[in-house]
Amino acid sequence: MNIRAKILGGASSSEKPILSAKKKPRGAKVDSLDGLIAREEARTNHSRFDDRHRLLDEVVKVTSGRKSREVSLINVSGGGAMIGGNISLALWDKVELHLGENGTVECVVRWVKDGRFGLEFAHETRIDCGVDKQAAILREVIRKSFPDLEFEADSSREEQREGPEGRGARRHPMVWSGLLHHDYESSPVRVRNISATGAMIECTDMLTIGSEPLLELGPELSVSAVVAWVLGDQAGLRFSKPFDLDELARSRPGVAGSRWTPPAYLETAEEDSSPWGEHWGRMSLGELRTQLEGFLKR
């Protein structure tokens, strides 16, 4: 018997070979994201993704003012969440939702019905550090990413804001995004918050708890991490080593828009009533730059 023909097949062998001579690649090697994540249309509506929006027996914490309560997390996706529980919240209340390690996100109550509450996430990326540290980071980001920004002459004065909630510090308008390299794939992600120890991201691809992805925030800025938790399309990353937040200046962020399409469970009759618009306390880039210049002179 011809062993080589038996294993690989050949002209003289009429039997099916044991091994194929053509090897399959073990990993993907491409230059573009599209080549790395070849998606068929059916994948966008994969039932496993829809199912993970609906959660069972998930308990999280909500902070309103100085009070924190445990609530049921019913679903979370697309920049919002539905919670339920014996908690006193009113329409337009601002709260913090704690989803897990490095998973605190600022929200506002969009609707209330039968002990359930629809929350909308703040659009901007939250930078978890001290006020002075944050001001220094944002000043450097603007200097590097928006050097031609014009000053706004009247932006230094504090105006009375409209809407049901006019209190609290004004927020910066910037959103960081990046790529998460994991499981031989690269997925676009949105950074909901980031600190020296980790980050909360929004990712439409399924992530595995305990996996060790690489978060790329720019061409010259990557951070190794471990997936600590996954809820819906939100995930918590624990950085492998402390991250210097000053490095954010090496990555150009986008600017948060005032329009956002909510998921079905956050739809309301007032489509243009998003609490995260400028009149709710979000600064424009010009206002932020003027404020940061004042910070330098303190």
Side-chain angles (χ1 to χ4, degrees), residues 135-147:
I137 293 169
L138 294 175
R139 186 178 65 246
E140 187 65 11
V141 168
I142 287 181
R143 186 184 71 83
K144 289 187 175 181
S145 297
F146 307 97

Side-chain angles (χ1 to χ4, degrees), residues 101-102 193-200 215 217 223-226 237-245:
E101 181 181 355
N102 298 305
N193 67 43
I194 188 167
S195 69
T197 59
M200 174 181 169
L215 176 61
L217 296 174
V223 190
S224 58
V226 175
L237 302 181
R238 182 189 309 124
F239 295 151
S240 301
K241 60 181 181 180
F243 174 62
D244 184 358
L245 290 170

